[in-house]
Amino acid sequence: GCSEGVVQGEDGGGEDVAAEETLTLVTAAMDGTPNAAVQDWFLTEVEERSEGRIEFERTEAYSLCDAPEIADCVRDGRAEIGVSIPDYTPVYFPSTSVVSVPFVGQNWQGITHSLHELHRNNADAEAVMTDNNLHFVGTWPVGRMLIGTHEPLESPEDLDGLSTRVSGPLAINLFEGEGTNVVSLAANEVYEGLERGVVDSAAASIDFPVNYRLNELLPYWTDPGVGEYSSFGMWMNLDTYEEMSEDLQQVIDEVAADLAAGAGAEAFYAQATEQCPSMLEAETLEGFTRWDEDITAAWEEETGDSLQSAWVDLATEQGLENAESVLDEYMAGLEELSDPEAQDATLTCIEEFSNQ
Amino acid sequence: MEIYHVVLLTLVLLVGLLCIKMPVALALGLAGAVGLVLLRGFDYSTSTLGSVPFADTASFTLTIIPMFILMGMFAVRANIAVNVFAVAHYFTRRAPGGIGVATVMACAGFSAVSGSSIGTAATVSRLAVGQMRASGFPASLATGIVAIAGTLGVMIPPSTFLVLYAVLARESVAALLAAGIIPGILSALSYITYIMIFGQRSVRKELARREGAGGDSGVDGDGERLGEAVEQARRELASKTVSLRELPWRGVVHVGILFLVVMGGMYTGVFTSTEGAAIGALTGLVILVIENRRRGGRHIFAAFKDSLLDTAQSTSMVFLIIVGSGIFSAFLVTAGVTQDITVWVTGLSFHPMLIMAMLLICLIPLGMFLESMSILVLAVPLLYPIAADLGFDGIWLGIMIVKLIEIGMVTPPVGIITFVIAGTANVRSETVFRGVLPLLVMDVITTTLLFLVPGITLFLPSLMT
Amino acid sequence: MERLVVNLSRVMGVIAALAIVVLMAAIVTDVVTRYLTGSSMPAMVELSESALVVSIFFGLAWAGASGAHVSVTLVTDRLSARLNRLLAVTVWVLTTLFVSWLTFATAGRAMNATGRGETRMGIVEWPTWPLRWVIVAGFLALLLVSLANLVRALRGRDILPAQIDELPRRDTVAETGEHASL
Ligand code: NA
Ligand code: NA
């Protein structure tokens, strides 16, 4: 820019100090979703704690870079910070995909915290990010897996013969093991697919029935105890991060640590509870329940270690070194950092339904 | 440089590139890329160029576009348009302006199997313009009718425009396709009304003028030569004593089958609308084979091969525009233009209807220098969030945008359909424009009606849920 | 030389046409399999996406050589032949430069994607990095067509669709008028 200085010099007398760093945000989190709430908490907090020295330019969701493209946009510097679903570009994120191991992740806050510690302390997990020219800010789960069906779903045996929209390799393994016909449909085609009978059921977090209005089409929603299965990630361009002054780097990292330690969970929970009325308002909703722990435990036992070793193989193949020890460290973190008292919006909503 | 200057410079560059006849897709891409260099530097711009071609094309939902194009290509070579036109002509032969009415009906019928306006206009113009001229239609009216009725191609499903809108706006493809049916039929009826009331008068005038010119029908009122085609058409008309039973009814049956496969098939639970396009294309191929079975395998294979080559060519053309527009809109987003416009517009204290009307009318001058598909790709990210903010329905907005883009396709200075008709009918494009203008009045009336009464558009989609 | 470029673009055009067949067949196969067995045929969605990319980018040069990429002739129609020749040279210089830039940019991206073995997630993990090279190949062929047109413009001859009429194969575009089927 040839006249940059001139403009600022002429009306620079005001009280607003120009930001030192203006970071463009690209995001796949739509306004009003719990994921956007987590993201917005981070952005606002950084702007405040840096006293305006860091400023974010928030582009509309999907406008500059489409969801599968966001990691690349941040990596190559078209945006400085990005929020998207790592599963879209699995090769970039073999470490955070550990969230997708069924049955393991049951506590939103614990997962978020453990992933944060993992990417600050484990060299192999960190290398995944730096090799991609990314600086890890946070990764958090999208919400517990629910299965929406036409008939009540009481045990894993009921999955036999269903045609289900499932995403993620480990969840697909799990469902296929029970005889489910797994159908691949883009997220925006699921409503139509259900309407036309291309699929008769869908496995997804509560976001899905609410945002895509699937609760109008499927009367029974069940939490089978699989837990968290997919995630949202937030990353910064590594060069941008490294070129920032040290105190600003510190602001970013402190806010990220606070997000992981509980602030993110609070923001997520607050917004996620607002989805509950939309979930329950559908007149067609007949059941919204949770399997007994015994049923889930039996199912988990039946699968054994196969899903965890499947993840280790997959992550290794995608370039994560020592995947097995990464998994162990993640699990140890879960044990240590999960707050058993923490509330889960999906479970609260299920309770609310049973009280109706 | 200030952002404002960069935006202005980039827009001037775009208009300049378009004016010197650079292919539209590349002009959009180059202007956007240069704008990105000015805003963020060469590396930034190069990253965008490296990613958009894949990111904006490799999507399952977009496969519907080449499949609709392919179905139309098969339909042309299966003589569907010829047969439908013959049937429509038989029933309208005694109506005032009968053959003009038949032309509109043939366009509407062919639109039900073709996703393209240009394809519809080109196909029907080759059949109908000569016949209309022979029946006394002045060149301007004859070509104007085909041009405007050709626009039905993107309104009546299948339609590449409606699909692309749905993808860009994240609306249901099936709902948009259903929403196009009633506005399409209304538009067709409005053209028919015009032809029945006013068309007859210009035909009488034209015949009297030809009479006055001493029966020299070699030159018409536009000073252009009446081609061989007209003479041949006149001879055909004279020799035709077709009975109801001899009519090529199979053309109508074929339209019905293809339309049912694409639209109706989705409702049986066997496939989605995206898949329906591929099934429709396959059905089109089957009809092509049956229709041409007596002409032998070699002929069928040639028709098949040509359909594929033409489809590949059109597909590349359409998607290069999508890529070019993708680069240009990356520039608009990076410069913050889209957000600024949204903030400015939603801050206006006018009635939402007025704001929406103003924004939609802006599409018409855009059509003066941009190609129709580029307008769609650029307008949706701008208009959709605003409309949603103001509380308008996304499906309705799609129909309004497509309707206005249709108008742009036949209006000067850049009316792509007009150019195509001028080419196939061998007249000057001004002649076609002259014939289109009065018919455009009908379109303005229809569009206003659709704007004021969204229920007309939303009735069929509402039946789906 | 020019004949070579036109022939190359035609060969790629034929591959693009075959990709259209693959696209149709993949979707139909998926529908039929699902209708009969209840499950999707693995990889059919990914295969049809890939076929779409092949048909788009392998067809670019063919569409370019047959003049299918629409442009606005409104202004140039009113200018003198001499000025038009100058503008044609300008357009094809700019087009050549821009398509080179696109080729360079997509090649960088393709190399990167190859290095990391880029995939996309569905029922199966589908490699997407080869598609990045399909895009590069498509732009490279379009670059050759642009160069051929630049040479023509410099010599004051009409740009490429004119050439196709001179060759034995008929011009399907002119025949069907579908050169801009939207
Ligand atoms: Na149509
Ligand atoms: Na126009």
Side-chain angles (χ1 to χ4, degrees):
Chain A
C2 40
S3 59
E4 223 167 84
V6 181
V7 181
Q8 290 192 347
E10 271 169 5
D11 43 50
E15 59 272 25
D16 272 345
V17 181
E20 269 168 56
E21 302 282 348
T22 302
L23 309 179
T24 303
L25 165 88
V26 287
T27 179
M30 302 295 275
D31 268 348
T33 58
N35 295 306
V38 178
Q39 159 201 305
D40 291 341
W41 178 85
F42 177 84
L43 302 179
T44 319
E45 198 67 17
V46 168
E47 284 175 336
E48 273 173 21
R49 284 199 216 172
S50 71
E51 288 165 339
R53 292 168 63 204
I54 299 178
E55 194 179 87
F56 294 103
E57 194 178 311
R58 300 157 166 85
T59 61
E60 195 104 20
Y62 296 95
S63 65
L64 188 54
C65 310
D66 207 355
E69 190 65 18
I70 284 175
D72 277 307
C73 280
V74 177
R75 199 177 55 76
D76 64 26
R78 270 175 287 157
E80 283 80 29
I81 183 163
V83 174
S84 186
I85 299 163
D87 284 352
Y88 280 135
T89 42
V91 187
Y92 285 176
F93 302 107
S95 58
T96 57
S97 72
V98 72
V99 177
S100 65
V101 181
F103 304 113
V104 170
Q106 298 286 345
N107 185 296
W108 196 101
Q109 185 266 325
I111 296 170
T112 309
H113 205 169
S114 178
L115 282 172
H116 181 265
E117 298 305 300
L118 192 65
H119 288 84
R120 291 284 179 261
N121 303 326
N122 182 301
D124 295 315
E126 238 186 315
V128 164
M129 295 291 159
T130 48
D131 287 352
N132 289 322
N133 198 30
L134 295 175
H135 177 68
F136 177 94
V137 177
T139 296
W140 60 87
V142 295
R144 300 178 62 79
M145 178 191 279
L146 301 174
I147 306 174
T149 47
H150 288 294
E151 302 294 331
L153 193 71
E154 273 149 14
S155 68
E157 288 77 53
D158 291 348
L159 292 170
D160 191 15
L162 288 181
S163 289
T164 312
R165 193 265 182 183
V166 187
S167 63
L170 300 174
I172 289 172
N173 273 358
L174 177 68
F175 278 77
E176 280 183 337
E178 296 303 324
T180 306
N181 301 310
V182 172
V183 176
S184 53
L185 280 179
N188 60 350
E189 298 205 355
V190 177
Y191 187 95
E192 204 198 324
L194 279 167
E195 224 176 8
R196 316 267 174 267
V198 170
V199 287
D200 54 24
S201 41
S205 68
I206 193 168
D207 265 26
F208 238 70
V210 170
N211 294 341
Y212 292 96
R213 313 218 59 75
L214 303 187
N215 52 349
E216 291 170 359
L217 301 176
L218 296 171
Y220 294 96
W221 288 85
T222 313
D223 180 341
V226 171
E228 299 289 351
Y229 70 102
S230 182
S231 59
F232 256 77
M234 184 187 247
W235 321 281
M236 265 189 77
N237 177 282
L238 186 60
D239 301 333
T240 308
Y241 173 79
E242 284 177 345
E243 283 159 18
M244 283 165 106
S245 64
E246 225 161 272
D247 53 333
L248 289 185
Q249 288 183 352
Q250 210 175 342
V251 171
I252 297 269
D253 289 342
E254 275 174 17
V255 178
D258 290 353
L259 184 153
E266 241 170 73
F268 189 91
Y269 182 79
Q271 189 64 43
T273 46
E274 293 196 8
Q275 293 181 311
C276 189
S278 326
M279 179 69 187
L280 302 184
E281 87 189 354
E283 281 168 23
T284 42
L285 187 70
E286 301 276 336
F288 187 24
T289 52
R290 184 184 179 185
W291 281 352
D292 260 358
E293 279 172 25
D294 306 344
I295 303 180
T296 305
W299 193 16
E300 187 178 355
E301 199 164 321
E302 183 192 314
T303 62
D305 292 340
S306 65
L307 295 165
Q308 292 182 24
S309 55
W311 178 81
V312 170
D313 293 346
L314 194 67
T316 307
E317 192 187 307
Q318 289 170 340
L320 177 66
E321 306 272 331
N322 306 313
E324 203 152 357
S325 69
V326 169
L327 177 63
D328 291 341
E329 201 170 326
Y330 168 71
M331 306 257 275
L334 282 184
E335 192 113 328
E336 185 193 341
L337 301 167
S338 291
D339 170 10
E341 301 299 305
Q343 284 186 296
D344 185 284
T346 307
L347 297 179
T348 317
C349 193
I350 291 177
E351 241 164 74
E352 209 168 298
F353 178 82
S354 70
N355 294 337
Q356 265 186 2
Chain B
M1 227 189 282
E2 248 185 295
I3 285 190
Y4 162 77
H5 290 140
V6 174
V7 172
L8 201 68
L9 200 77
T10 307
L11 287 176
V12 170
L13 176 64
L14 174 62
V15 175
L17 292 174
L18 290 171
C19 283
I20 65 173
K21 216 172 130 186
M22 186 159 186
V24 175
L26 297 170
L28 280 165
L30 179 55
V34 169
L36 285 172
V37 170
L38 295 177
L39 284 179
R40 297 289 175 94
F42 182 76
D43 288 347
Y44 186 95
S45 192
T46 302
S47 297
T48 306
L49 294 190
S51 95
V52 169
F54 180 80
D56 283 13
T57 58
S59 143
F60 181 66
T61 311
L62 288 173
T63 59
I64 200 171
I65 291 178
M67 288 301 100
F68 277 169
I69 297 177
L70 182 60
M71 186 167 96
M73 297 292 178
F74 286 149
V76 174
R77 292 172 175 88
N79 303 325
I80 288 183
V82 183
N83 295 338
V84 170
F85 183 63
V87 174
H89 187 199
Y90 180 85
F91 285 99
T92 56
R93 65 195 189 284
R94 297 196 202 293
I99 193 154
V101 175
T103 305
V104 175
M105 289 166 73
C107 280
F110 194 70
S111 293
V113 296
S114 161
S116 139
S117 276
I118 293 164
T120 304
T123 308
V124 177
S125 88
R126 238 171 269 117
L127 300 170
V129 171
Q131 300 226 18
M132 280 192 278
R133 300 287 304 279
S135 313
F137 280 67
S140 58
L141 184 61
T143 51
I145 289 173
V146 188
I148 198 121
T151 65
L152 295 173
V154 288
M155 184 58 83
I156 295 177
S159 156
T160 49
F161 273 30
L162 291 176
V163 170
L164 195 57
Y165 174 86
V167 172
L168 292 168
R170 293 165 193 279
E171 289 280 354
S172 148
V173 172
L176 267 149
L177 292 179
I181 297 176
I182 295 179
I185 293 173
L186 268 184
S187 305
L189 288 177
S190 77
Y191 308 144
I192 289 174
T193 310
Y194 175 88
I195 296 163
M196 290 178 80
I197 297 174
F198 302 101
Q200 194 58 17
R201 197 187 300 162
S202 35
V203 170
R204 242 181 268 123
K205 236 196 272 171
E206 169 77 8
L207 286 174
R209 199 200 49 74
R210 283 190 199 164
E211 200 79 5
D216 174 20
S217 57
V219 177
D220 79 352
D222 300 298
E224 289 175 63
R225 295 218 20 100
L226 274 177
E228 267 294 296
V230 176
E231 285 306 321
Q232 196 197 333
R234 180 174 294 169
R235 262 178 267 127
E236 268 175 38
L237 276 179
S239 69
K240 243 176 213 164
T241 45
V242 194
S243 76
L244 211 53
R245 195 181 297 174
E246 289 167 53
L247 283 175
W249 285 106
R250 62 186 187 285
V252 181
V253 173
H254 293 159
V255 169
I257 290 173
L258 284 173
F259 191 73
L260 277 181
V261 164
V262 172
M263 294 302 294
M266 304 185 313
Y267 292 85
T268 59
V270 183
F271 43 77
T272 65
S273 41
T274 309
E275 295 164 342
I279 309 282
L282 183 67
T283 315
L285 177 59
V286 172
I287 292 175
L288 172 96
V289 171
I290 295 172
E291 182 70 22
N292 291 299
R293 65 191 181 283
R294 293 217 181 79
R295 304 175 68 175
R298 187 172 294 180
H299 178 86
I300 291 173
F301 181 73
F304 175 66
K305 190 185 71 184
D306 290 348
S307 303
L308 286 174
L309 283 171
D310 287 355
T311 303
Q313 192 181 51
S314 296
T315 302
S316 295
M317 189 278 294
V318 167
F319 278 89
L320 192 60
I321 289 176
I322 294 176
V323 168
S325 309
I327 296 167
F328 192 75
S329 65
F331 161 73
L332 291 178
V333 174
T334 308
V337 175
T338 46
Q339 277 170 325
D340 289 351
I341 293 182
T342 313
V343 168
W344 177 70
V345 168
T346 45
L348 294 175
S349 52
F350 302 138
H351 192 273
M353 289 292 260
L354 187 62
I355 298 180
M356 208 62 239
M358 277 164 38
L359 288 173
L360 286 169
I361 288 171
C362 285
L363 292 175
I364 296 178
L366 260 185
M368 290 176 65
F369 63 92
L370 273 189
E371 188 280 328
S372 41
M373 176 142 306
S374 331
I375 303 174
L376 184 71
V377 180
L378 290 176
V380 176
L382 282 171
L383 292 189
Y384 187 83
I386 299 178
D389 236 42
L390 295 174
F392 289 96
D393 186 279
I395 306 282
W396 168 85
L397 178 71
I399 299 300
M400 293 311 299
I401 291 181
V402 169
K403 190 74 201 159
L404 284 159
I405 289 177
E406 275 185 351
I407 292 178
M409 291 173 91
V410 291
T411 47
V414 184
I416 183 124
I417 295 189
T418 319
F419 297 149
V420 171
I421 305 280
T424 53
N426 197 20
V427 297
R428 284 197 307 269
S429 57
E430 287 90 330
T431 308
V432 187
F433 282 142
R434 197 144 26 83
V436 161
L437 282 177
L439 285 155
L440 267 180
V441 176
M442 303 308 286
D443 255 350
V444 171
I445 296 171
T446 315
T447 310
T448 313
L449 183 69
L450 294 173
F451 181 79
L452 294 175
V453 193
I456 300 174
T457 304
L458 297 176
F459 173 65
L460 283 183
S462 76
L463 291 185
M464 295 172 48
T465 44
Chain C
M1 189 58 214
E2 184 179 279
R3 187 167 286 262
L4 203 68
V5 171
V6 172
N7 284 335
L8 173 73
S9 74
R10 185 166 300 146
V11 169
M12 290 177 80
V14 170
I15 299 175
L18 290 174
I20 297 275
V21 180
V22 172
L23 170 52
M24 181 173 80
I27 297 178
V28 172
T29 309
D30 195 28
V31 171
V32 172
T33 324
R34 201 178 51 221
Y35 185 70
L36 297 177
T37 69
S39 299
S40 285
M41 172 91 107
M44 284 300 119
V45 168
E46 290 80 4
L47 178 61
S48 50
E49 277 178 359
S50 302
L52 175 65
V53 172
V54 172
S55 85
I56 293 168
F57 290 95
F58 272 36
L60 274 186
W62 165 239
S66 45
H69 295 303
V70 286
S71 51
V72 177
T73 56
L74 182 82
V75 179
T76 47
D77 280 353
R78 283 147 217 265
L79 302 176
S80 69
R82 179 188 288 256
L83 193 55
N84 261 319
R85 189 173 158 185
L86 187 70
L87 290 182
V89 172
T90 315
V91 162
W92 291 103
V93 166
L94 289 175
T95 301
T96 305
L97 287 175
F98 181 53
V99 177
S100 311
W101 191 4
L102 277 168
T103 313
F104 168 75
T106 49
R109 186 60 196 269
M111 252 155 356
N112 190 294
T114 311
R116 61 184 68 246
E118 187 186 60
T119 59
R120 186 176 271 193
M121 215 59 211
I123 290 185
V124 294
E125 212 176 332
W126 185 261
T128 46
W129 60 266
L131 295 178
R132 303 274 181 186
W133 290 108
V134 165
I135 294 176
V136 178
F139 280 132
L140 205 58
L142 184 62
L143 178 60
L144 293 177
V145 172
S146 306
L147 275 169
N149 271 338
L150 177 58
V151 171
R152 284 185 152 254
L154 283 168
R155 289 182 183 160
R157 294 161 68 198
D158 281 344
I159 59 161
L160 260 180
Q163 166 72 9
I164 295 213
D165 293 335
E166 295 156 19
L167 291 169
R169 194 183 178 285
R170 73 185 179 80
D171 177 12
T172 53
V173 184
E175 184 104 333
T176 65
E178 286 270 359
H179 64 293
S181 291
L182 301 185

